């Protein structure tokens, strides 16, 4: 069995480990939800949304945890707010969350369906049409509710057949339903699919996950309860609708219920739950206990792997001789302590576990819920997007980057561009504004050469704007207009996802598209002012490319130098570190570790005593960033190329604000904070679709045309230009129109500010320019018997 190391986040990282690694979140801030079981959780990017569950009463509030800032907060929800429930179905598609069924009070179950639009925290009760071939699903708890594409699949659960208000006559279900969803909001209808082959027996408190790695998408159901704990595995081919019980290799987990299952890569991870435990010395027979065992099923090879901490020889969890409340605050040597009815959520390559019941034996007739938060580190951080430019000065380049869900720190590297390599950009000072021509300026594909993208990452309305510049973003009229104000610190209703400040640690502001009437809820979210400064764009940047490891003997262009290691998401680069000796080309050259040894994270102490090289004015530099966690260092981002300014040229315009009209957009801005003389004119450019010339262009490059030139600090872009706009999806999964605005003085044009106006894929523009891609609460939880 692989060695698994369990280490607290703030602890010293020693020892050898094969992934995965359990780690405990030692501290977090904000409004922490009370411990519970029978709750459910889903993920939206780096956010975990938790709803329902119970512990001496069913919880009604919706809680959100930011895995990057380690902050809890309570969003101000509105609309058809559902009652608190437990053992319900909870799934997420984009920023839309669906809730079905659950227990609303003891013995009272529901079959209501609710939708939450997380971009606006707006609840809505849905009323889909019933099936044409039967009745809609009845009220139930402890069922599985799984999202696959634009459909949800409901299986099994537990119903109450008692007609008495306080009665409880449980019945296990084996029915199977399909819920067809509308594209962005709402549900069309329920249906009862016709399936073939044998099917799973009736059960509750099982898990169901969807996987489509090889061939057709499949639904996998494991475990559950039907008078006893089940250990069977079933799969449903969602193309042929054929049930089967696949043959597996390796040690199958014990039968269990109230466990969790998550897909990470090509594996299904099973954690915790109630499992049987037999004590021969007792005549009562079998009991059941909580476990903290961890198993992984490779869904491509159908091979089980036991990743649990060491257990007794029989492979059963070791029971405790006394009630668990005596050990509640002690750390467990095997990672998360045994539990059932917890929530489990996958974010990137991490699996987060929160709360759940930690009682060991049913016979104790009471429950104690865990208060801890853990995550399972299964891989190195993913490849980041290219770094984004906040601003450039004569001797400083201020850059930022998007967070990675599995990164604990970041390594930033720089490479000076030789004079010959930068010669093609010598005619433009400090990233001058793009020039126009028959086909427009050939721009870069990288937003990192243009500025920081600041937006509400959960918003999904077409009118929202993503504005370059690491500055605070304010949204008016529920995301219809956005403004960027330089150094603003007023309460915000939009969300600045990449707006770190010079004074920040690692916190970011999250308000998630709330209106002014709900602004008070933001008091629970530690706000972060934006960085002071202006964005830059128009730098001559090469196509994104994968970096190579540096080894001795490489050319000058292949040598990279460390800027440093950062816990934050930005750096004001004024210097970089030279190699320690002549035989060392660079300090941190490897983009892929040779093993998965858990190691101490790098830090500033690693650069003590090293010689520093300052940045030079008017020079071009390439930058890249990589995430690091205790599994190892991830691959570096695509390369971004920026230039320090030459003295005398103006800075970039700031405080950009975009207002949407019926068929146009109105853009205003302020003069650069550092004009270096009198501003003689401004130019606004728009990225447009490729011309008809058939000229050879590198993939992803943008063509710009000038849509405004004048002395005013505002302009209106009409429908004629917008209809020809290019929709950029190269650097983000959020399509956007791209504008650039630059100022000119007596010396010439300075760096440009880039504005990305987010386009909602669920609400395509009418013009052809748009290129959208076509819990349990009773004594024994949801387990009713045993």
């Amino acid at each position: 069995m692989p060695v698994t190391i369990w280490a607290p986040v703030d602890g010293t990282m020693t020892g050898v480990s094969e992934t995965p690694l359990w780690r405990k979140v030692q501290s977090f801030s904000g409004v922490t939800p009370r411990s519970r079981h029978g709750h459910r959780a889903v993920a939206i990017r780096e956010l975990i949304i938790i709803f329902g569950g119970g512990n001496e009463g069913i919880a009604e509030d919706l809680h959100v945890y930011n895995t990057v800032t380690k902050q809890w907060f309570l969003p101000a929800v509105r609309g058809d707010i559902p009652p608190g429930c437990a053992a319900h179905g909870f799934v997420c598609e984009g920023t839309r969350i669906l809730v079905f069924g659950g227990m609303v009070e003891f013995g009272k179950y529901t079959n209501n369906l609710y939708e939450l639009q997380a971009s606006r925290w707006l609840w809505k009760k849905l009323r889909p049409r019933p099936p044409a071939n039967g009745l809609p699903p009845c009220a139930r708890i402890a069922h599985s509710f799984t999202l696959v594409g634009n459909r949800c699949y409901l299986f099994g659960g537990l119903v109450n057949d008692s007609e008495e208000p306080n009665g409880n006559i449980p019945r296990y279900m084996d029915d199977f339903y399909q819920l067809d969803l509308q594209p962005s909001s709402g549900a069309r209808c329920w249906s009862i699919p016709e399936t073939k082959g044998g099917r799973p027996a009736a059960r509750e408190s099982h898990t169901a996950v969807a996987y489509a790695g090889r061939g057709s998408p499949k639904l996998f159901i494991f475990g559950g309860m039907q008078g006893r704990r089940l250990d069977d595995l079933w799969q449903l081919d969602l193309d042929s609708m054929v049930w089967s019980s696949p043959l597996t290799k390796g040690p199958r987990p014990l039968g269990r219920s109230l466990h969790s299952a998550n897909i990470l890569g090509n594996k299904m991870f099973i954690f915790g739950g109630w499992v049987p435990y037999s004590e021969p010395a007792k005549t009562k027979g079998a009991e059941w206990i909580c476990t903290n065992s961890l198993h992984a099923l490779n869904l491509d090879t159908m091979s089980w792997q036991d990743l649990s901490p060491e257990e007794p020889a029989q492979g059963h969890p070791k029971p405790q001789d006394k009630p668990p409340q005596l050990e509640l605050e002690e750390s467990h040597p095997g990672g998360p302590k045994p539990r059932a009815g917890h929530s489990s959520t996958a974010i990137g390559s991490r699996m987060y576990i929160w709360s759940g019941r930690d009682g060991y034996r049913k016979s104790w007739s009471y429950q104690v819920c865990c208060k801890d938060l853990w995550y399972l580190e299964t891989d190195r951080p993913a490849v980041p997007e290219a770094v984004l430019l906040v601003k450039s000065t004569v001797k400083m380049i201020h850059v930022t980057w998007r967070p990675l869900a599995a990164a604990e720190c970041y390594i930033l590297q720089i490479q000076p561009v030789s004079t010959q390599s930068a010669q093609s950009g010598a005619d433009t000072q400090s990233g001058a504004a793009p020039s126009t021509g028959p086909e427009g300026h050939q721009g870069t594909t990288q937003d990192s050469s243009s500025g920081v993208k600041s937006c509400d990452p959960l918003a999904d309305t077409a009118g929202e704007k993503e504005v370059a510049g690491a500055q605070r973003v304010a949204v008016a009229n529920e995301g219809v207009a956005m403004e960027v104000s330089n150094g603003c610190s007023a309460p915000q209703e939009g969300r600045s996802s990449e707006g770190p400040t010079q004074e920040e640690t690692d916190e970011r502001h999250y308000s998630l598209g709330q209106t002014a009437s709900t602004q008070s809820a933001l008091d629970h979210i530690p706000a972060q002012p934006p960085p002071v400064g202006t964005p830059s764009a128009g730098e001559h940047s090469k196509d994104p490319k994968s970096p190579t490891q540096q080894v001795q003997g490489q050319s000058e262009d292949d040598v990279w130098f460390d800027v440093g290691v950062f816990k934050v998401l930005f750096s004001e680069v004024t210097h970089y570190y030279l190699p320690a000796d002549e035989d060392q080309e660079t300090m941190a050259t490897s983009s892929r570790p040779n093993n998965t040894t858990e190691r101490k994270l790098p830090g500033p102490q690693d650069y003590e005593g090293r010689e520093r090289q300052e940045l030079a004015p008017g020079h071009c530099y390439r930058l890249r960033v990589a995430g690091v966690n205790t599994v190892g260092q991830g691959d570096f981002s695509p390369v971004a190329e920026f230039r320090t300014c030459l003295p005398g040229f103006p800075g970039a315009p700031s405080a950009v604000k975009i207002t949407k009209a019926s068929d146009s957009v109105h853009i205003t801005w302020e003069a650069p904070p550092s004009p270096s003389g009198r501003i003689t004119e401004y130019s606004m450019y728009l990225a447009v679709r490729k011309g008809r010339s058939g000229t050879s262009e590198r993939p992803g490059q943008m063509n710009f045309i000038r849509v405004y030139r004048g002395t005013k600090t505002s302009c209106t872009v009409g429908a004629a230009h917008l209809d020809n706009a290019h929709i950029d999806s190269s650097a983000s999964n959020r399509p956007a129109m791209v504008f650039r605005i630059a100022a000119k003085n007596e010396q010439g044009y300075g760096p440009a500010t880039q504005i990305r106006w987010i386009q909602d894929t669920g609400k395509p523009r009418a013009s052809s320019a748009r290129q959208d891609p076509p819990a349990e609460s009773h004594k024994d939880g949801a387990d009713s018997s045993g």
Side-chain angles (χ1 to χ4, degrees), residues 379-572:
D379 201 356
R380 301 173 300 118
V383 180
E385 294 182 11
V387 297
L388 309 170
L389 185 68
V390 177
K391 69 174 180 178
S392 177
T393 66
V394 174
K395 291 187 177 182
M396 186 269 289
I397 298 176
H398 187 172
V399 295
T400 187
W401 50 88
R402 290 185 177 275
L404 295 175
E408 296 193 36
C409 63
Y410 300 86
I411 291 180
L412 181 67
Q413 290 190 337
I414 195 170
Q415 180 187 82
V417 179
S418 64
T419 304
Q420 181 177 2
S421 300
Q423 188 64 40
S424 60
D427 58 341
T428 303
Q429 300 292 344
S430 185
S435 59
T436 56
E439 294 300 322
H441 175 73
Q442 300 294 315
T444 174
T445 70
Q446 300 183 46
D447 287 336
S448 55
S449 66
S450 312
V452 180
K453 294 183 278 187
S454 299
C455 64
D456 172 1
L458 298 189
D460 60 356
T461 54
E464 290 175 351
K465 318 299 183 294
E466 190 169 33
V467 184
Q471 301 151 15
R472 175 85 58 147
V473 179
V475 180
N477 300 327
E478 294 190 14
V480 175
M482 175 180 291
E483 67 178 356
V484 178
S485 50
N486 209 6
C488 172
S489 59
Q492 306 302 315
E493 298 173 35
R495 166 171 159 180
S496 176
S497 64
E498 283 79 40
T501 71
Q502 296 171 338
E503 300 85 5
E504 73 173 359
T505 53
D506 61 350
E507 298 178 349
R508 294 158 59 210
H509 178 69
Y510 287 88
S511 50
L512 308 179
Q514 299 176 11
T515 63
S517 62
T518 64
Q519 187 61 41
S520 59
L522 302 182
D523 296 341
H524 304 305
I525 310 168
Q528 161 190 305
V532 177
T534 53
S536 303
E539 290 81 358
H540 298 277
S541 176
K542 296 190 176 182
D543 290 332
K545 61 183 180 180
S546 299
T548 57
Q549 290 189 359
Q550 297 124 38
V551 295
Q552 296 182 15
Q554 286 183 329
S555 66
E556 179 184 352
D557 286 344
D558 291 328
V559 178
W560 288 84
F561 303 93
D562 281 7
V563 175
V565 178
F566 302 90
K567 284 275 192 180
V568 296
L569 301 172
F570 76 100
S571 173
E572 293 183 330

Side-chain angles (χ1 to χ4, degrees), residues 20 123 250 263 364 385 618:
W123 282 105
I263 297 291
W364 284 333
E385 294 182 11

Side-chain angles (χ1 to χ4, degrees), residues 263-397:
I263 297 291
L264 293 173
N266 65 343
K267 294 181 179 179
M268 175 177 70
F269 286 85
I270 301 290
F271 174 76
W274 290 106
V275 297
Y277 179 75
S278 181
E279 294 179 286
K282 293 194 174 183
T283 58
K284 291 182 180 179
E287 289 195 7
W288 40 273
I289 58 176
C290 282
T291 180
N292 62 349
S293 61
L294 176 68
H295 297 263
L297 175 64
N298 186 311
L299 297 174
D300 292 333
T301 63
M302 300 309 294
S303 299
W304 284 104
Q305 186 180 15
D306 187 353
L307 302 172
S308 309
E310 290 192 9
E311 297 173 352
Q314 291 82 4
H316 295 294
K318 184 178 180 180
Q320 301 295 309
D321 295 329
K322 48 189 176 182
Q325 73 268 24
L326 300 180
E327 302 176 355
L328 272 182
E329 303 304 325
E330 297 180 13
S331 61
H332 197 284
K337 62 178 61 177
R339 67 193 65 203
H342 52 280
S343 65
S344 178
T345 318
I347 294 185
S349 59
R350 284 179 177 173
M351 182 176 75
Y352 281 82
I353 300 289
W354 182 72
S355 200
R357 183 199 301 186
D358 70 347
Y360 286 79
R361 298 190 186 182
K362 177 188 175 185
S363 59
W364 284 333
S365 70
Y366 64 83
Q367 59 189 29
V368 179
C369 290
C370 305
K371 302 177 182 178
D372 49 358
L373 174 66
W374 294 74
Y375 63 84
L376 185 70
E377 197 82 274
T378 67
D379 201 356
R380 301 173 300 118
V383 180
E385 294 182 11
V387 297
L388 309 170
L389 185 68
V390 177
K391 69 174 180 178
S392 177
T393 66
V394 174
K395 291 187 177 182
M396 186 269 289
I397 298 176

Side-chain angles (χ1 to χ4, degrees), residues 44 52 88 141 220 295 404 456 468 499 559 631 726:
I44 300 180
H88 47 288
I141 64 171
F220 289 91
H295 297 263
L404 295 175
D456 172 1
V559 178
V631 174
H726 166 69

